[in-house]
């Protein structure tokens, strides 16, 4: 069935690709709510005429929109970003005043709060933040997280500043968000993204609380916080673990095994990952723990490769102590950072940045599956090339949704003011002990202490978070698969169709449209 899908969609793709190649010339301009989106250049994976990240997300949306049963009125409302904040503020750095630029975009407020990470990187601009915010709208819908989509960022390279300076920039940005009502547990809840982590989330929360000292739920204004400050266990690992669950799920489908020749056993997978940050590291860890062979890791300075498998913690410690993979023993060093994407493997996981697979390298990709852990790693034209080559693409808006899923759990924990499992763990253990005693009496055999511990163990916060995440990823993958099969379309289009239909149901059901 799926093989038939690929053949049919390849013909459509060939047409789409030819048309797209013709249509997208360097002078092409895209207008969105009054501002133009530049065609991003200077990226060696992409041709200059390939669409920007924002335009790419819109092209994916348009392709799925035509297949969904949603009305044009609702689609045009859904596609346009709702509102955008651009702030500039001065920061005194080493006796000089520097003007810092930050953004926060609410793509869709059909559900509140809106949710999405905050990125610190030099490339942060209006179109990138808007593209990421749009992906958040669809991502939340795919995993049934009841939030709208948002994203924020500051255009700085945090490595150019001391920790104290990054703290001042983060707090000043948060003041702007507070003053303009772009943050709050019921309105907008940021989270970490590229260049930010638990530390920045703690500063954001602390600044927000200074403005809202009497707000009982104030710690729910941001997720991805350190555990002692209201974070949830498992958030750090969540996006990488979700990537693992998602790929495990897809390789278990018989049609995927038939198409790729993979056995479905994680232990048989050879994996390459681009980006060894929060998402890439944890994805690598979970695949390694479950027996897969990680044969390549790419970073911005170079890549490392060993066909016999890499040791993830050794790599992590080496890079942390030296700041680079260069000089690492017992591995091949791949000097061109993009080359790692082109090596032979079963699953390629881009987990760094957008636009890493473009028209210049798509044809050289040799993986059987591309699992998009990063947001927007594949341009639409490159996506068509991959599909034509028979490569399965598990799309970003589905595969990296583990992060927002566990952020949702953290937000719920903050609103309930209680650790998950606190009221139930002992009660569960008591009930299970009574069952074990009953079974022991009836079969006249005593369980060993280890066996008993395993059976009786009541779920703690990590157990509950991981099982909630696993269940969410399995359901979202199987919904995507169902739509792909029933509509004879690829997984990305299927994920977008599902998201569009779910968001449309809220728009239309709530009368949000004010239309006849
Ligand atoms: P991060 O900053 O922790 O890690 C990104 C890593 O990519 C860094 O180690 C960086 O050095 C590396 N990198 C940058 N440019 C590179 C290049 N050209 N080649 C190879 N490596 C390069 O960020 P992260 O949180 O791991 O996010 C990675 C991606 O995952 C982003 O696209 C982000 O939007 C997406 N994502 C993150 C989360 C999350 O919870 N953090 C959730 C969903 C999606």
């Amino acid at each position: 069935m799926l093989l038939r899908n690929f053949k049919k969609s390849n013909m459509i793709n060939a047409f789409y690709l030819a048309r797209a190649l013709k249509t997208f010339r360097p002078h092409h301009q895209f207008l969105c709510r009054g501002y133009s989106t530049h065609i991003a250049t200077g990226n060696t994976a992409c041709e200059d005429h390939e669409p920007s990240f924002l335009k790419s997300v819109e092209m994916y949306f348009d392709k799925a929109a035509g297949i969904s049963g949603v009305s044009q009125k609702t689609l045009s409302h859904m596609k346009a970003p709702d509102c955008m904040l651009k702030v500039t503020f001065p920061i005194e750095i080493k006796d000089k005043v520097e003007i810092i630029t930050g953004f926060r975009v609410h793509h869709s407020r059909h559900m509140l709060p809106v949710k999405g990470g905050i990125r610190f990187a030099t490339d942060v601009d209006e179109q990138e933040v808007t593209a990421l915010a749009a992906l958040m709208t669809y991502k939340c819908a795919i995993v049934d997280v009841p939030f709208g989509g948002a994203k924020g960022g500051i255009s700085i390279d945090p490595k150019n500043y001391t920790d104290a300076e990054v703290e001042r920039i983060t707090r000043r940005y948060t003041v702007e968000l507070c003053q303009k009502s772009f943050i709050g547990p019921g309105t907008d809840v940021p989270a970490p993204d590229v260049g930010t982590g638990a530390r920045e989330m703690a500063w954001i929360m602390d600044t927000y609380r200074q403005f809202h000292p009497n707000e009982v739920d104030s710690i729910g204004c941001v997720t991805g916080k350190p555990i002692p400050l209201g974070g949830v266990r498992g958030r750090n690992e969540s996006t990488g673990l979700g990537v693992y669950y998602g790929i495990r799920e897809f390789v278990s489908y018989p049609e995927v095994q038939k198409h790729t020749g993979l056995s479905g056993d994680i232990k048989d997978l050879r994996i390459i990952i681009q980006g060894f940050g929060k998402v890439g590291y944890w994805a690598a860890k979970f695949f390694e723990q479950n027996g897969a062979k990680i044969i390549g890791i790419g970073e911005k300075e170079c890549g490392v490769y060993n066909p016999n498998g890499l040791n993830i913690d050794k790599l992590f410690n080496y890079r942390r102590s030296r700041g680079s993979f260069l000089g690492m023993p017992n591995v091949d060093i791949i000097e061109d950072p993009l080359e790692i994407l082109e090596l032979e493997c079963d699953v390629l996981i881009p987990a760094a940045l957008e636009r890493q697979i473009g028209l210049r390298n798509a044809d050289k990709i040799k993986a059987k599956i591309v699992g998009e852990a990063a947001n927007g790693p594949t341009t639409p034209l490159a996506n068509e090339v991959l599909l034509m080559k028979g490569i399965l693409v598990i799309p970003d808006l589905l595969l990296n949704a583990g992060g927002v899923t566990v952020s949702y759990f953290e937000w719920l924990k903050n609103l309930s003011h209680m650790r998950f499992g606190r009221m139930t763990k002992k009660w569960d253990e008591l009930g299970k002990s009574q069952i074990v005693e009953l079974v022991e009496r009836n079969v006249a055999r005593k369980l060993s202490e280890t066996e008993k511990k395993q059976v009786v163990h009541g779920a703690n916060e990590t157990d509950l978070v991981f099982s909630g995440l696993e269940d969410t990823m399995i359901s979202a993958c199987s919904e995507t698969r169902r739509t792909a099969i029933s509509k004879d379309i690829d997984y990305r289009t299927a994920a977008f169709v599902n998201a569009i239909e779910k968001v449309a149901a809220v728009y239309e059901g709530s009368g949000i449209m004010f239309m006849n």
Side-chain angles (χ1 to χ4, degrees):
M1 175 71 181
L2 202 76
L3 207 59
R4 191 168 60 75
N5 292 350
F6 283 118
K7 282 189 187 140
K8 185 176 164 191
S9 66
N10 280 351
M11 283 165 64
I12 300 167
N13 292 337
F15 169 73
Y16 183 72
L17 177 64
R19 205 185 54 181
L21 278 168
K22 258 189 166 165
T23 314
F24 286 96
R25 303 263 56 103
H27 63 265
H28 183 89
Q29 284 280 307
F30 160 70
L31 293 179
C32 170
R33 283 270 167 100
Y35 60 88
S36 67
T37 312
H38 74 274
I39 304 282
T41 53
N43 172 327
T44 53
C46 299
E47 298 287 356
D48 289 349
H49 61 78
E50 283 191 79
S52 69
F53 183 17
L54 175 57
K55 183 64 193 164
S56 299
V57 173
E58 301 217 333
M59 286 170 72
Y60 289 136
F61 175 92
D62 288 342
K63 190 175 172 192
I67 295 166
S68 73
V70 175
S71 77
Q72 198 50 50
K73 278 181 188 173
T74 306
L75 288 170
S76 51
H77 182 39
M78 192 186 302
K79 183 175 167 185
D82 190 286
C83 55
M84 179 182 167
L85 175 71
K86 178 178 178 182
V87 292
T88 49
F89 50 85
I91 290 280
E92 201 175 332
I93 310 259
K94 298 175 194 85
D95 296 334
K96 278 197 191 136
V97 172
E98 207 175 300
I99 302 296
I100 306 284
T101 307
F103 303 89
R104 185 81 185 159
V105 171
H106 291 181
H107 172 261
S108 177
R109 295 164 55 96
H110 67 292
M111 287 202 183
L112 287 174
V114 290
K115 188 104 193 63
I118 291 182
R119 179 175 287 198
F120 287 0
T122 43
D123 289 344
V124 165
D125 63 10
E126 291 171 19
Q127 72 81 30
E128 183 185 64
V129 178
T130 308
L132 289 162
L135 279 178
M136 284 306 298
T137 296
Y138 310 126
K139 196 179 298 185
C140 289
I142 285 172
V143 285
D144 294 325
V145 164
F147 294 149
K151 203 79 181 190
I154 304 183
S155 42
I156 54 162
D157 181 351
K159 293 206 171 65
N160 293 341
Y161 300 89
T162 64
D163 287 353
E165 288 163 354
V166 174
E167 178 174 353
R168 268 164 50 218
I169 293 169
T170 309
R171 286 182 181 278
R172 185 65 169 78
Y173 171 71
T174 312
V175 169
E176 297 290 337
L177 298 183
C178 288
Q179 285 175 339
K180 277 106 187 173
S181 297
F182 269 72
I183 185 169
T187 51
D188 181 349
V189 182
D193 191 73
V194 173
T196 59
R199 182 184 73 159
E200 286 74 15
M201 300 307 115
W203 293 332
I204 290 173
M205 180 192 76
D206 184 63
T207 311
Y208 178 83
R209 294 183 86 184
Q210 290 174 24
F211 278 77
H212 302 85
N214 300 318
E215 196 179 294
V216 67
D217 292 329
S218 58
I219 63 167
C221 71
V222 67
T223 58
K225 301 178 290 289
I227 310 287
L229 296 179
V232 74
R233 286 163 187 80
R235 175 60 183 89
N236 269 347
E237 303 92 312
S238 60
T239 310
L241 181 56
V243 168
Y244 166 75
Y245 286 144
I247 291 172
R248 186 193 67 183
E249 188 61 14
F250 274 93
V251 295
S252 77
Y253 299 154
E255 68 275 18
V256 170
Q257 292 169 14
K258 194 169 167 215
H259 182 75
T260 57
L262 295 171
S263 70
D265 189 343
I266 294 291
K267 294 189 181 70
D268 292 339
L269 293 181
R270 294 163 312 136
I271 294 181
I272 291 182
I273 300 179
Q274 184 208 32
F276 203 42
K278 297 182 291 298
V279 177
Y281 168 78
W282 282 111
K285 262 317 265 182
F286 286 110
F287 274 107
E288 183 186 53
Q289 267 171 24
N290 287 281
K293 216 180 254 180
I294 313 296
I295 58 171
I297 301 269
E299 255 297 334
K300 51 188 170 195
E301 71 279 2
C302 67
V304 287
Y305 177 76
N306 184 340
N308 300 318
L310 299 161
N311 179 309
I312 297 309
D313 277 338
K314 267 193 193 154
L315 277 180
F316 181 81
N317 292 332
Y318 187 92
R319 191 164 188 272
R320 191 170 52 177
S321 64
R322 315 222 174 177
S324 140
F325 285 139
L326 293 169
M328 175 96 194
N330 306 322
V331 298
D332 294 337
I333 299 287
I334 317 277
E335 280 177 16
D336 175 358
L338 277 175
E339 202 182 315
I340 198 88
L341 299 169
E342 298 165 14
L343 302 181
E344 205 178 313
C345 63
D346 298 315
V347 184
L348 172 65
I349 304 180
L353 292 172
E354 59 267 19
R355 305 179 94 245
Q356 296 302 302
I357 304 179
L359 273 184
R360 288 197 189 142
N361 60 355
D363 197 39
K364 299 180 195 152
I365 305 293
K366 296 178 193 73
K368 297 178 175 121
I369 295 177
V370 171
E372 296 183 337
N375 284 310
T378 315
T379 66
L381 303 182
N383 186 59
E384 300 305 325
V385 174
L386 297 183
L387 295 180
M388 277 193 283
K389 280 164 64 88
I391 297 172
L392 285 187
V393 181
I394 310 177
D396 48 7
L397 68 170
L398 167 67
L399 195 63
N400 70 29
V404 75
T405 302
V406 176
S407 273
Y408 171 46
F409 299 158
E410 180 175 330
W411 181 75
L412 291 174
K413 174 186 180 179
N414 294 158
L415 297 193
S416 73
H417 299 266
M418 192 166 48
R419 186 182 74 234
F420 290 118
R422 181 168 177 173
M423 298 268 285
T424 50
K425 187 172 187 297
K426 273 289 152 208
W427 180 252
D428 278 355
E429 288 179 355
L430 184 69
K432 287 183 192 167
S433 300
Q434 286 165 347
I435 294 171
V436 167
E437 274 168 32
L438 204 71
V439 171
E440 281 180 334
R441 270 207 302 278
N442 278 294
V443 299
R445 168 170 112 73
K446 286 241 171 256
L447 294 186
S448 72
E449 275 312 304
T450 323
E451 283 173 328
K452 213 182 261 183
K453 248 191 193 156
Q454 272 171 0
V455 177
V456 166
H457 170 79
N460 60 30
E461 185 166 270
T462 312
D463 299 325
L464 292 167
V465 164
F466 283 2
S467 76
L469 172 61
E470 184 173 8
D471 184 50
T472 302
M473 291 306 297
I474 290 173
S475 304
C477 291
S478 83
E479 268 183 32
T480 306
R481 174 199 192 196
R482 257 202 310 277
T483 303
I485 291 174
S486 72
K487 294 192 184 293
D488 211 1
I489 51 179
D490 60 87
Y491 293 131
R492 188 191 310 278
T493 312
F496 265 98
V497 167
N498 289 347
I500 288 169
E501 287 177 354
K502 287 184 192 180
V503 175
V506 180
Y507 275 6
E508 290 168 2
S510 60
I512 225 167
M513 306 284 294
F514 301 113
M515 281 178 184
N516 293 328

